Amino acid sequence: MSELHEYRVWAPSAQRMRVVAGRESVEMTSAEGGWWHALAPAGDYGFQIDDDDAVRPDPRSRRQPHGVHERSRTWDASAHDWADADWTGRPIAGGVLYELHIGTFTQEGTLDAAAERLDHLLEIGVTHVELLPVNGFNGTHNWGYDGVAWYAVHEGYGGPAAYQRFVDAAHRAGLAVVQDVVHNHLGPSGNYLPLFGPYLSSEGRSTWGEHVNVAEPAVRRFILDNVRFWFEDMHVDALRLDAVHALRDEGPLHILEEMAVETAALAAHLGRPLELIAESDLNDPTLITPREGGGYGLDAQWSDDFHHGVHVALTGETEGYYADFAPLTALGKVLERGFFHDGTYSSFRERDHGRPIDTDRSLSWRLVVSAQNHDQIGNRARGDRITEALTESQLLCAALLLYAGPYTPMLFMGEEWAASSPFQFFTSHPEEELGRLTAEGRLAEFERMGWDPAVVPDPQDPATFERSKLDWAEARRERHARVLDGYRQLAGLRRELEALTDPHYARNAVEVDEAAGVLRLVRRAGRTDAVEIVVNVGSEPQTVPVTKRRLRFQTHPDVAVAEQLTLPPGSGALLD
């Protein structure tokens, strides 16, 4: 006789519910709050709603072995024999994050293959490996932001069992795991949730679709339980919350604050740090202000302003949202105040934007910053990296500002060796019409921004996905090897010099010589001497007065220090 499994599903409007398990269709019993339950054989299953004989996957499915349109499969998370009992966690403070996409991080594109590369991350000072979304989506490859099965791991990556093996391997290597999760919208294919209940709001939509209905308590619980799923069943250490500005909540307790409350309680129970990192384009410090201070109490948030300031300083590109960052003083302000737009006018948005960070009370590690990331590369027309436009020395200037700057650095896979592979926008929608609309929408978007449509790759073309895979062999070759060695050196200095991880804004001082293109950042720690970081982003050599004489890192062989620091164009140095 088959093992029986208890099936539960929330379907508040249904008059009748059946669970189909194997060849059996079993009537379900209604319970309080719109829940239905039944005992039926374990295995592949789905639900029939009212008198519709179509079998729908479980909204809380832990496995979708045949894709998001097919039946779910029961999966026991407790069956994994965890080997991380001694893992006590790793807070973000003082850490280095590394963002990667499982499908393109290795040629195999699996979690098991990615686990074999974790030792490489330790060499460049990484403490947290951050995975782009892995939950179930339609097709074979995707960035992950079109997911519809929030509790399932994409089978092409190895499924949930492989995910648990990956986390075990990361913890064994001393690395924390950050999982990127999307709670603000659902993908365009395989979203059956509205058939079960009011998961989506009837009031407004974002760029990606209807808002999630967080005003409904059961939907709210659906999100909060998903947070717990990653922490409890998958042993994840932190979550990166995608586009939280699209989580519209008018209730007395914002869903983000409620996440923070439950995460803190769970961390106390599990005895290890659990953290939440918000991605937001609002430049609003409310997210990272402690609840005691009237904020939401999240642990960290992305700051795109750092990326924009570094990108413009090194590439000279000033189109679109980069325009406001044209003066080098914009990067200087970011290094001192966290946000550039902190109530200032944004020419791209055509309105004032952002709010200031209370730098007297906030800690700088709460901002996660990058010189490259999946958005800033992948949302370019060609998905090209700054590797194409910058010299070795300039690339190492970006790394210097990341590792030695005041904030939590996040690297994007392959940047540490100046990877030549692009990271292009790719999809694999099996529906021909959806694939066509996706490709046409992508072209139209870039045409509006003035890009040549001929350079925009077709996201549905499998070659677009293949081009985006890292070539690990090039990390050992010439220019790539030299850049990688620079990242290793900076990782060592970040571990050695206390000033490089000191979180107090007041201990940083920035000087900018706009005409010369020179930025000087002085960082101090409580009981140690100062560290000077100087970059010359201009087109002419510069001689800069410095108070330190020991050259600890240089991006270019011609950097020299005597009474003054000599910097070739596009170079930088760290002195103590």
Side-chain angles (χ1 to χ4, degrees):
M1 182 177 178
S2 300
E3 175 190 355
L4 291 181
H5 180 81
E6 182 179 5
Y7 294 96
R8 299 178 72 248
V9 66
W10 182 67
S13 301
Q15 302 301 308
R16 178 191 184 196
M17 288 294 296
R18 291 163 288 166
V19 58
V20 178
R23 296 182 178 180
E24 296 187 39
S25 180
V26 178
E27 294 286 341
M28 304 187 78
T29 303
S30 64
E32 186 178 354
W35 286 88
W36 297 76
H37 63 91
L39 288 175
D44 290 1
Y45 70 98
F47 297 109
Q48 294 171 319
I49 304 169
D50 290 323
D51 293 326
D52 186 353
D53 289 335
V55 180
R56 308 300 188 185
D58 185 353
R60 291 178 177 242
S61 170
R62 292 330 196 244
R63 277 200 73 183
Q64 289 297 128
H66 305 297
V68 296
H69 292 289
E70 304 302 325
R71 295 189 186 193
S72 305
R73 179 173 294 175
T74 54
W75 179 72
D76 181 7
S78 65
H80 180 72
D81 185 15
W82 287 99
D84 66 351
D86 294 332
W87 173 251
T88 56
R90 174 64 167 87
I92 298 166
V96 176
L97 279 61
Y98 187 95
E99 186 188 39
L100 66 87
H101 177 269
I102 287 295
T104 54
F105 183 58
T106 64
Q107 288 298 311
E108 299 88 341
T110 65
L111 287 152
D112 287 333
E116 295 176 4
R117 297 288 185 178
L118 293 177
D119 286 346
H120 164 82
L121 305 188
L122 299 175
E123 297 177 4
I124 53 173
V126 171
T127 58
H128 291 67
V129 54
E130 178 176 322
L131 307 184
L132 266 67
V134 298
N135 57 296
F137 56 82
N138 196 26
T140 58
H141 52 270
N142 190 290
W143 273 19
Y145 298 94
D146 285 334
V148 291
W150 287 0
Y151 289 76
V153 174
H154 177 57
E155 288 291 315
Y157 297 157
Y163 192 95
Q164 290 180 322
R165 292 194 298 270
F166 177 87
V167 175
D168 243 344
H171 289 170
R172 187 163 56 250
L175 292 165
V177 177
V178 184
Q179 181 56 58
D180 190 343
V181 292
V182 183
H183 293 137
N184 60 76
H185 74 282
L186 289 117
S189 179
N191 175 21
Y192 296 103
L193 269 62
L195 300 180
F196 288 87
Y199 280 89
L200 301 179
S201 172
S202 59
E203 299 180 4
R205 55 184 288 127
S206 69
T207 306
W208 310 289
E210 290 84 3
H211 292 303
V212 176
N213 184 19
V214 296
E216 166 57 57
V219 176
R220 202 176 185 90
R221 193 68 253 165
F222 182 71
I223 294 173
L224 294 170
D225 285 350
N226 185 252
V227 170
R228 295 184 68 97
F229 161 75
W230 292 106
F231 287 141
E232 289 186 297
D233 292 351
M234 297 306 204
H235 289 208
V236 160
D237 302 282
L239 296 179
R240 182 263 193 190
L241 309 174
D242 177 67
V244 298
H245 47 275
L247 275 173
R248 301 294 179 86
D249 189 357
E250 303 300 327
L253 181 66
H254 196 283
I255 184 68
L256 294 172
E257 186 175 354
E258 193 168 2
M259 283 185 197
V261 170
E262 293 213 6
T263 298
L266 187 57
H269 172 64
L270 296 178
R272 59 186 176 90
L274 305 174
E275 295 177 303
L276 299 174
I277 306 168
E279 184 220 3
S280 169
D281 71 353
L282 299 180
N283 280 21
D284 187 351
T286 300
L287 297 171
I288 53 174
T289 299
R291 296 183 65 239
E292 298 87 337
Y296 291 165
L298 302 181
D299 299 283
Q301 72 179 99
W302 278 28
S303 172
D304 284 339
D305 285 5
F306 178 94
H307 168 273
H308 300 345
V310 171
H311 184 92
V312 172
L314 294 173
T315 68
E317 184 179 345
T318 56
E319 290 79 15
Y321 50 72
Y322 291 136
D324 295 340
F325 295 84
L328 189 57
T329 51
L331 176 56
K333 179 181 177 180
V334 170
L335 290 170
E336 282 195 318
R337 308 293 301 174
F339 295 147
F340 174 69
H341 284 304
D342 55 5
T344 58
Y345 182 76
S346 165
S347 62
F348 179 73
R349 298 174 179 86
E350 299 183 328
R351 56 177 168 78
D352 291 345
H353 182 68
R355 294 177 52 209
I357 293 171
D358 183 349
T359 54
D360 290 334
R361 292 179 174 83
S362 188
L363 298 175
S364 62
W365 64 261
R366 293 191 183 277
L367 294 187
V368 175
V369 302
S370 61
Q372 302 183 60
N373 62 51
H374 79 275
D375 268 334
Q376 300 301 335
I377 300 171
N379 286 329
R380 295 173 66 82
R382 295 192 298 112
D384 51 310
R385 297 173 181 255
I386 57 173
T387 307
E388 291 187 20
L390 301 184
T391 65
E392 289 176 38
S393 181
Q394 289 173 314
L395 289 170
L396 289 175
C397 282
L400 173 61
L401 291 168
L402 265 180
Y403 278 88
Y407 310 116
T408 297
M410 185 182 75
L411 314 180
F412 182 66
M413 60 177 197
E415 80 165 75
E416 69 274 18
W417 75 72
S420 62
S421 54
F423 187 72
Q424 298 177 331
F425 179 67
F426 46 79
T427 55
S428 59
H429 300 303
E431 302 92 340
E432 184 177 339
E433 178 68 5
L434 179 57
R436 182 182 64 79
L437 291 173
T438 299
E440 289 178 354
R442 184 83 172 166
L443 279 173
E445 178 184 356
F446 284 109
E447 279 189 289
R448 285 194 300 270
M449 294 189 291
W451 288 82
D452 179 359
V455 306
V456 182
D458 180 357
Q460 285 285 108
D461 185 347
T464 303
F465 171 61
E466 292 298 326
R467 277 193 300 270
S468 300
K469 291 191 175 189
L470 291 181
D471 175 8
W472 282 83
E474 72 179 3
R476 300 188 294 270
R477 299 180 198 138
E478 300 173 346
R479 177 191 194 218
H480 305 287
R482 291 192 295 270
V483 171
L484 179 56
D485 184 60
Y487 273 75
R488 289 180 180 133
Q489 291 179 49
L490 287 167
L493 289 170
R494 185 173 169 85
R495 286 189 293 265
E496 176 190 343
L497 302 174
E498 183 182 351
L500 299 189
T501 51
D502 189 283
H504 299 90
Y505 282 91
R507 292 175 182 165
N508 303 316
V510 179
E511 298 174 5
V512 174
D513 184 335
E514 192 75 55
V518 172
L519 182 147
R520 178 173 175 266
L521 167 64
V522 177
R523 303 202 60 199
R524 294 179 174 83
R527 293 175 298 179
T528 60
D529 209 348
V531 172
E532 292 186 66
I533 300 101
V534 188
V535 293
N536 172 21
V537 301
S539 58
E540 299 295 330
Q542 298 295 334
T543 302
V544 183
V546 288
T547 60
K548 302 300 174 184
R549 294 291 182 269
R550 187 164 65 149
L551 186 60
R552 301 299 304 277
F553 180 79
Q554 60 198 85
T555 69
H556 190 284
D558 292 340
V559 171
V561 63
E563 293 302 311
Q564 298 191 87
L565 177 67
T566 301
L567 292 170
S571 69
L574 185 150
L575 306 96
D576 71 356

